[in-house]
Amino acid sequence: MASAVASFFFLALLFRSSFAQLSETYYDQTCPRLPNIVRASVKKAIQSDIRAGAKLIRLHFHDCFVNGCDGSVLLEDAPGIVSELNSPGNQGIQGLEIVDAIKTDVEKECPGIVSCADILAQASKDSVDVQGGPSWRVLYGRRDSRIANKTGADSGLASPFETLDELKAKFAAVGLDSTDLVALSGAHTFGRSRCVFFSHRFANFNGTGSPDPSLDSNYRQFLEGVCSAGANTRANFDPVTPDVFDKNYYTNLQVGKGLLQSDQELFSTPGADTIAIVNSFAAREGTFFKEFRKSMINMGNIKPLTGKRGEIRRNCRRVNSNSGLFGEEEEEEGHDVM
């Protein structure tokens, strides 16, 4: 019990210090138009690809859950870098070209100033409110990692095949609680998923010889029809308003229409504390939006690199060629380094 309490206070101290190091005003003097630049670029991306917003927020999520919000998810394989993109949890992840375009727009006005990690945080906020969701003030000051952590991605990213207890454990490992889990899962109110990630629910679920009982039978038949085109076919997370950020994700869970097993687990796990949270979000969109804002800020402030740690990448997909110069400090160990 004592060790658990000590661990809790250590995590609380860690995340409080993260909040203290980041600031809304970080770029006020060096790149004051950053929010406007990123928002315009995100709107342009969504106009040409309705899935752009969902792609950007997924990149931010997968970045923050591995060594914190440091842009490491964007690094591709290179000498000394084993990319997190190779992790099963990042299978099929998309949107790097959108980040590249945003970075190009930012660099035109503020060269060498804004990190890729901060661009992901701002772009995620814009992706949500441009498509009807809440807005919030993004905290800035993150710097970019010079190394990646594929092993951390393998073990730390949530899987669509996991139980509620497994999901809770992964969120708790980065200082997030059940409310954060339910609120952040609400990002599945827009976007798509490939059949390979949910078709196991159609038959012989968990070796039972039957479909997942938590999946509405009519919805299952509809999804089977969609997936008859192949495992890589995509289905909407929200069959009602697939391109709008709203509370329908939660009303879908209430009637057995969560697309992924990991979605439906939030409502269909007997006795779970998450059921009441789902019900409260389904009842009032304002409640969901309020908690989503808070949880996005919580997640966006997981273990940022600040000060002289890391760097400001010129290209979000690779470390700067002068990494280690100009007195920049090396990062802590624990990443995959060849």
Side-chain angles (χ1 to χ4, degrees):
M1 178 68 178
S3 62
V5 171
S7 296
F8 172 82
F9 282 110
F10 172 77
L11 282 170
L13 180 62
L14 173 67
F15 291 104
R16 278 203 302 270
S17 75
S18 296
F19 276 100
Q21 293 169 336
L22 302 181
S23 168
E24 295 177 20
T25 61
Y26 188 83
Y27 295 115
D28 278 6
Q29 302 303 314
T30 56
C31 194
R33 284 193 353 99
L34 174 65
N36 295 334
I37 297 168
V38 175
R39 184 177 182 83
S41 192
V42 168
K43 289 181 73 174
K44 182 179 178 181
I46 292 173
Q47 286 168 0
S48 61
D49 175 7
I50 195 61
R51 295 171 52 226
K55 292 175 182 179
L56 287 167
I57 201 167
R58 184 184 181 200
L59 282 169
H60 186 41
F61 276 45
H62 287 218
D63 184 34
C64 292
F65 271 75
V66 182
N67 286 3
C69 308
D70 61 1
S72 61
V73 70
L74 303 172
L75 289 173
E76 296 178 328
D77 284 335
I81 300 289
V82 179
S83 177
E84 294 169 18
L85 298 171
N86 299 323
S87 172
N90 284 323
Q91 181 183 351
I93 200 166
Q94 297 178 315
L96 268 69
E97 76 288 349
I98 305 172
V99 178
D100 291 342
I102 299 171
K103 177 69 168 174
T104 296
D105 289 345
V106 172
E107 288 291 304
K108 287 177 183 175
E109 188 160 329
C110 311
I113 299 296
V114 181
S115 68
C116 300
D118 276 347
I119 285 174
L120 281 181
Q122 179 67 44
S124 294
K125 189 278 293 185
D126 293 324
S127 296
V128 169
D129 70 27
V130 163
Q131 292 185 252
S135 183
W136 60 92
R137 293 180 179 270
V138 177
L139 302 180
Y140 307 114
R142 303 166 191 83
R143 286 168 66 85
D144 296 322
S145 169
R146 291 194 291 268
I147 42 184
N149 185 2
K150 179 185 177 293
T151 300
D154 291 346
S155 62
L157 294 176
S159 161
F161 311 107
E162 288 181 328
T163 65
L164 180 59
D165 284 344
E166 290 169 325
L167 295 169
K168 282 186 171 185
K170 289 184 175 179
F171 274 67
V174 293
L176 301 177
D177 62 17
S178 292
T179 299
D180 295 313
L181 168 60
V182 178
L184 293 173
S185 295
H188 283 175
T189 189
F190 63 178
R192 318 281 190 270
S193 182
R194 287 186 293 157
C195 292
V196 67
F197 295 122
F198 58 84
S199 58
H200 68 291
R201 305 179 69 197
F202 298 164
N204 197 29
F205 179 68
N206 288 343
T208 61
S210 301
D212 182 349
S214 69
L215 179 62
D216 176 80
S217 59
N218 290 328
Y219 186 44
R220 184 188 76 242
Q221 291 171 13
F222 166 76
L223 292 174
E224 286 176 327
V226 171
C227 294
S228 64
N232 288 322
T233 305
R234 287 185 169 87
N236 296 322
F237 273 115
D238 177 1
V240 182
T241 53
D243 301 320
V244 178
F245 197 98
D246 56 23
K247 71 179 180 69
N248 282 352
Y249 170 80
Y250 301 102
T251 56
N252 291 335
L253 296 185
Q254 290 177 319
V255 294
K257 293 184 179 180
L259 184 63
L260 305 180
Q261 174 188 340
S262 55
D263 292 324
Q264 197 61 48
E265 289 276 342
L266 303 178
F267 187 76
S268 297
T269 302
D273 61 344
T274 53
I275 296 173
I277 303 171
V278 169
N279 286 336
S280 69
F281 292 172
R284 290 185 57 85
E285 190 165 77
T287 301
F288 165 44
F289 282 6
K290 177 182 177 182
E291 293 301 329
F292 186 81
R293 289 188 196 100
K294 289 165 58 178
S295 293
M296 283 295 293
I297 293 171
N298 290 343
M299 185 189 74
N301 290 278
I302 296 172
K303 295 173 60 179
L305 295 174
T306 57
K308 293 184 177 181
R309 301 178 67 208
E311 64 181 10
I312 305 300
R313 281 187 222 137
R314 300 182 187 92
N315 180 332
C316 290
R317 301 192 192 205
R318 59 182 62 95
V319 299
N320 296 339
S321 60
N322 62 352
S323 291
L325 301 180
F326 309 117
E328 291 180 326
E329 297 176 7
E330 294 298 325
E331 298 170 44
E332 61 195 31
E333 297 179 357
H335 308 253
D336 279 349
V337 182
M338 291 176 67

